């Protein structure tokens, strides 16, 4: 199991994170090839080696074609970030970005991580502006370079096969910064909202150390906060910010590999039971819960007081999503109350692998323990696309890919 530690001594931003992961060893060709499959503006991405107060680090270099830059320049106002090439492309609504990711050919884990980052940012922006998160009109994270940062980081994590992410407390900086809507205090409103519940570091520096995109990584992808884990370091990478301070403006990332046979994590279970809700509402509730980050949701038939048949609704989620799920149940069901508890779950270690099939290269998820493979599961979205494209029954494609993967991987 591979663990990543984000050492955010000088804050965190999108370009710093992507550059640090590439410095750590993420395959840049893989990242670029996957990004170029998406319906986004043509771009050129590279990294260069620079020095920040004596620390050799990688700096992300991102360029768009001049035609695209000219076309979109008059539509937008620049928003500050650590990136020197914070291009002023057209802004996109959260719903459009999420739809693009969901409909892409990215692997399930890359989709999940990308969607979770944009989701926490959209919810923060929605709260600040008093609007539905889906209708949020992104500024910084709607720019093409920040979309590339977010999805690029998810791809880099996949390239490194990172299973778990831990982070240090996060400094934000102080002072004021000019943004699209005017002069704002640091941390910017979106950054502050995203970082609710996240431990902050006491590091008094004038300037923006953590951007909304960086805060989004911390809130959406990190499962624990604290000091460096007591494990053997496998590799270290450094990503440089574009600003210069009296301290090294770098993000340090460290890769650890544990010998655990399975992963242990704490989840929150939110429940309620009711006997007076129409069946159609249950389908809507499940869609909403999964869209808002629930790990799973299921319904159990039960017998309630006065022998009335009822339904027990159980939602599994990450601890930081518990409030969202409680509010969802109170708003979208007929219940007058919810209860929650913390559970510990053990899950098999997993990795994703490509296999060659008569329908092309497809992805399978492998669950293993003690080096022994326990499960091989084809990815649902890919099987669905193949079944529809070739007019073949879903289960026929699923079993074929499962058998081919088992033969290729276990031989």
């Amino acid at each position: 199991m591979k663990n990543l530690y984000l050492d955010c001594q000088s804050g965190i931003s999108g370009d710093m994170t992507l550059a640090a992961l590439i410095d750590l060893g993420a395959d840049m060709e893989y990242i670029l090839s996957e990004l170029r499959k998406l319906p986004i503006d043509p771009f050129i991405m590279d990294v260069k080696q620079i020095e920040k107060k004596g620390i050799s680090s990688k700096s992300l270099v991102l360029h768009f074609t001049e035609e695209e830059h000219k076309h979109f320049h008059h539509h937008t106002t620049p928003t500050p970030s650590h990136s020197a090439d914070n291009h002023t492309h057209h802004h996109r609504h959260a719903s459009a970005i999420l739809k693009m990711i969901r409909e892409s050919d990215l692997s399930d884990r890359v989709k999940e991580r990308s969607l979770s980052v944009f989701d926490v940012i959209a919810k923060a922006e929605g709260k600040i502006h008093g609007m539905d998160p889906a209708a949020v009109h992104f500024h910084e994270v709607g720019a093409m370079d920040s979309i590339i940062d977010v999805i690029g980081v998810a791809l880099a994590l996949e390239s490194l096969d990172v299973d778990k992410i831990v982070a240090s407390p996060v400094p934000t900086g102080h002072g004021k910064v000019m943004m699209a809507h005017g002069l704002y205090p640091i941390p910017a409103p979106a950054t502050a909202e995203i970082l609710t519940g996240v431990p902050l570091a006491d590091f008094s520096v004038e300037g923006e150390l953590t951007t909304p995109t960086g805060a989004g990584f911390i809130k959406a992808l990190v499962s624990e906060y604290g000091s460096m884990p007591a494990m053997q370091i496998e590799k270290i990478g450094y990503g440089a910010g574009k600003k210069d301070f009296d301290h090294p403006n770098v993000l340090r990332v460290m890769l650890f590999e544990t010998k655990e046979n399975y992963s242990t994590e704490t989840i929150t279970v939110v429940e309620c039971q009711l006997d007076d809700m129409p069946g159609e509402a249950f389908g809507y509730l499940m869609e909403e819960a999964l869209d808002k980050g629930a790990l799973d949701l299921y319904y159990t038939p039960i017998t309630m007081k006065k022998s009335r048949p009822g339904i027990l609704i159980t939602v599994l989620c990450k601890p930081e999503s518990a409030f969202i799920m409680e509010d969802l149940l109170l708003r979208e069901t007929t219940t007058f109350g919810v209860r929650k508890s913390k559970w510990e779950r053990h899950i098999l270690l997993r990795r994703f692998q490509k296999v060659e099939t008569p329908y092309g290269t497809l992805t399978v998820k492998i669950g293993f323990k003690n080096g022994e493979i326990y499960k091989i599961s084809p990815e649902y979205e890919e099987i669905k696309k193949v079944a529809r494209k070739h007019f073949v029954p879903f289960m026929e494609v699923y079993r074929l890919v499962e058998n081919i993967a088992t033969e290729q991987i276990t031989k």
Side-chain angles (χ1 to χ4, degrees):
M1 178 178 180
K2 290 189 178 180
N3 293 291
L4 182 74
Y5 184 70
L6 302 176
D7 192 11
C8 309
Q9 299 294 324
S10 186
I12 181 171
S13 68
D15 62 313
M16 291 172 78
T17 309
L18 184 51
L21 293 175
I22 292 171
D23 193 43
L24 192 63
D27 185 346
M28 192 164 169
E29 288 306 313
Y30 162 73
I31 296 169
L32 286 170
S33 65
E34 292 295 302
L35 284 172
R36 287 187 173 129
K37 295 177 183 177
L38 301 173
I40 56 178
D41 299 345
F43 67 94
I44 298 171
M45 187 174 80
D46 201 356
V47 289
K48 63 179 180 180
Q49 205 73 25
I50 65 171
E51 187 177 293
K52 287 287 186 179
K53 297 294 181 181
I55 296 181
S56 181
S57 317
K58 279 192 169 57
S59 175
L60 190 71
V61 180
L62 187 60
H63 296 290
F64 294 85
T65 65
E66 187 155 346
E67 289 74 18
E68 293 288 338
H69 178 69
K70 286 179 179 177
H71 179 72
F72 293 116
H73 181 74
H74 68 283
H75 290 290
T76 60
T77 303
T79 309
S81 81
H82 283 234
S83 173
D85 291 310
N86 188 30
H87 295 286
T88 50
H89 298 276
H90 66 298
H91 299 168
R92 296 191 178 195
H93 288 92
S95 57
I97 297 173
L98 298 176
K99 183 173 184 288
M100 176 188 74
I101 296 170
R102 289 194 188 99
E103 294 179 353
S104 72
D105 291 327
L106 298 169
S107 72
D108 281 0
R109 188 159 64 162
V110 171
K111 284 184 182 180
E112 180 185 345
R113 283 170 166 164
S114 302
L115 289 169
S116 64
V117 174
F118 280 115
D119 186 55
V120 299
I121 298 171
K123 285 172 181 170
E125 293 278 5
K127 180 177 179 181
I128 291 164
H129 298 300
M131 60 194 301
D132 186 331
V136 165
H137 201 198
F138 281 143
H139 291 283
E140 179 195 344
V141 291
M144 246 345 94
D145 50 356
S146 294
I147 291 175
I148 288 172
D149 286 346
V150 171
I151 302 174
V153 163
L155 289 165
L157 293 171
E158 193 70 6
S159 172
L160 293 165
D161 196 24
V162 170
D163 298 291
K164 180 179 178 181
I165 304 175
V166 181
S168 69
V170 183
T172 63
H174 65 84
K176 290 184 172 59
V177 64
M178 181 61 70
M179 304 186 71
H181 295 290
L183 192 64
Y184 278 85
I186 297 173
T191 304
E193 184 63 36
I194 293 166
L195 290 176
T196 55
V198 173
L200 301 183
D202 183 13
F203 185 36
S204 183
V205 173
E206 186 167 354
E208 186 185 41
L209 298 181
T210 295
T211 66
T213 306
F217 292 147
I218 294 294
K219 187 65 171 284
L221 305 181
V222 171
S223 56
E224 292 179 21
Y225 305 98
S227 56
M228 205 178 306
M231 294 185 288
Q232 183 174 319
I233 299 173
E234 185 179 315
K235 294 176 75 176
I236 301 176
Y238 294 91
K242 299 302 190 294
K243 296 178 182 177
D244 290 317
F245 296 101
D246 291 335
H247 63 275
N249 185 22
V250 297
L251 172 69
R252 180 168 62 173
V253 295
M254 303 179 181
L255 194 64
F256 302 84
E257 184 157 13
T258 68
K259 301 303 180 184
E260 295 176 6
N261 296 322
Y262 50 77
S263 175
T264 303
E265 64 180 3
T266 300
I267 62 171
T268 299
V269 179
V270 184
E271 292 183 326
C272 69
Q273 55 196 51
L274 41 86
D275 59 7
D276 56 350
M277 195 167 91
E280 296 89 344
F282 286 97
Y284 177 78
L285 175 66
M286 179 173 286
E287 290 177 6
E288 286 292 293
L290 295 175
D291 189 54
K292 293 179 183 296
L295 299 172
D296 201 358
L297 181 148
Y298 56 90
Y299 305 121
T300 308
I302 59 172
T303 301
M304 298 178 64
K305 61 185 179 182
K306 299 183 180 179
S307 298
R308 291 197 295 252
I311 297 292
L312 171 65
I313 302 174
T314 305
V315 183
L316 310 183
C317 64
K318 294 181 179 179
E320 59 266 27
S321 301
F323 175 79
I324 295 171
M325 298 305 149
E326 290 174 36
D327 187 64
L328 180 67
L329 291 180
L330 291 170
R331 285 179 179 273
E332 298 293 348
T333 76
T334 56
T335 189
F336 275 76
V338 298
R339 55 186 176 270
K340 67 178 179 180
S341 58
K342 289 189 175 181
W343 289 4
E344 200 172 73
R345 70 173 184 171
H346 301 284
I347 56 178
L348 290 173
L349 296 181
R350 59 196 69 184
R351 69 174 187 267
F352 294 83
Q353 187 167 322
K354 299 287 186 181
V355 295
E356 296 301 325
T357 79
Y359 300 107
T361 303
L362 299 175
T363 308
V364 295
K365 180 166 61 178
I366 304 168
F368 58 95
K369 175 181 176 182
N370 287 332
E372 179 185 351
I373 293 176
Y374 277 53
K375 304 281 190 306
I376 297 178
S377 301
E379 292 293 85
Y380 168 76
E381 291 294 339
E382 293 186 6
I383 300 299
K384 181 177 73 173
K385 286 182 180 180
V386 167
R388 287 178 173 173
K389 180 179 179 181
H390 295 277
F391 303 101
V392 181
F394 177 91
M395 285 307 301
E396 183 178 324
V397 181
Y398 188 97
R399 291 193 186 100
L400 174 66
V401 175
E402 185 178 37
N403 291 336
I404 291 174
T406 300
E407 183 177 346
Q408 289 184 13
I409 294 168
T410 60
K411 69 178 180 180

